[in-house]
Amino acid sequence: MTTRTTQMIVRFSAPFMLPVFDAPQPAGDYRVEQDEELLEIPSRLAWRRVSAFIHLPAIGIDSHTHQMVPIDPADLDAALEKDHQQS
């Protein structure tokens, strides 16, 4: 099966929490990588997200440690929607 990895930057205007975090993360821009696999659909290309990772800390935050944390893409979508509703 064909797979690809896409990268994007997401912005949170307020601290946010995802189920895999021990504590809320501060507002800021975060790099997210998503792995997708090609679906076999006749006459068109379609991709399905199969995993996602968020890079911690936020872009521009100095830290001695950097993490790439696996997250559920649906949890990220819900957190972004909540953040946009609050701002």
Side-chain angles (χ1 to χ4, degrees):
M1 179 157 289
T2 303
T3 60
R4 70 180 182 185
T5 300
T6 59
Q7 293 185 13
M8 65 181 173
I9 304 297
V10 297
R11 174 171 287 165
F12 285 95
S13 58
F16 69 102
M17 185 74 176
L18 294 177
V20 297
F21 295 160
D22 293 333
Q25 297 299 307
D29 294 336
Y30 290 82
R31 189 164 41 121
V32 174
E33 294 183 13
Q34 299 184 111
D35 293 333
E36 302 169 316
E37 62 185 17
L38 181 64
L39 299 176
E40 301 292 332
I41 298 176
S43 75
R44 67 180 178 145
L45 290 177
W47 295 89
R48 176 176 57 128
R49 286 187 302 190
V50 292
S51 63
F53 301 87
I54 190 166
H55 292 255
L56 301 177
I59 295 170
I61 303 294
D62 289 330
S63 176
H64 295 294
T65 61
H66 293 269
Q67 299 178 21
M68 193 166 106
V69 180
I71 57 172
D72 183 326
D75 292 338
L76 177 63
D77 291 344
L80 286 166
E81 179 65 29
K82 181 179 177 182
D83 184 72
H84 289 121
Q85 288 176 355
Q86 292 174 348
S87 53

